[in-house]
Amino acid sequence: HLDACGADEPGQLHSAMDRARSVGVVAVVTTGDDLASSAWAVRAAHTDPDVYAAVGVHPTRADTLTDQVRIEIAALATDP
């Protein structure tokens, strides 16, 4: 979760990735556990070529999974 590392903005994301690269990390998968964080993960993946997004709804947030959320998560999942 790059957002949990304080990387809420593009500049912070780049700083977090620079720190990761400095210790040998070559790529990061950042995960979404609800619609908002899944959308953020996709935006983060567009910001840095070494960031990959995983989208979905965590089981503890299953009560938020409406038909509309499913449609939007599915759309995010097709984002290259």
Side-chain angles (χ1 to χ4, degrees):
H1 294 279
L2 283 171
D3 55 331
C5 298
D8 296 329
E9 312 256 334
Q12 295 166 327
L13 175 81
H14 292 300
S15 294
M17 288 302 296
D18 288 344
R19 289 190 308 275
R21 288 183 189 102
S22 75
V23 295
V25 175
V26 295
V28 171
V29 176
T30 189
T31 61
D33 59 9
D34 61 12
L35 181 56
S37 60
S38 291
W40 184 91
V42 170
R43 285 192 307 276
H46 283 275
T47 302
D48 189 292
D50 297 327
V51 174
Y52 298 87
V55 300
V57 175
H58 193 277
T60 61
R61 297 178 185 228
D63 61 328
T64 68
L65 189 58
T66 64
D67 288 340
Q68 184 60 39
V69 169
R70 281 181 197 184
I71 290 167
E72 292 183 47
I73 291 286
L76 289 170
T78 64
D79 192 287

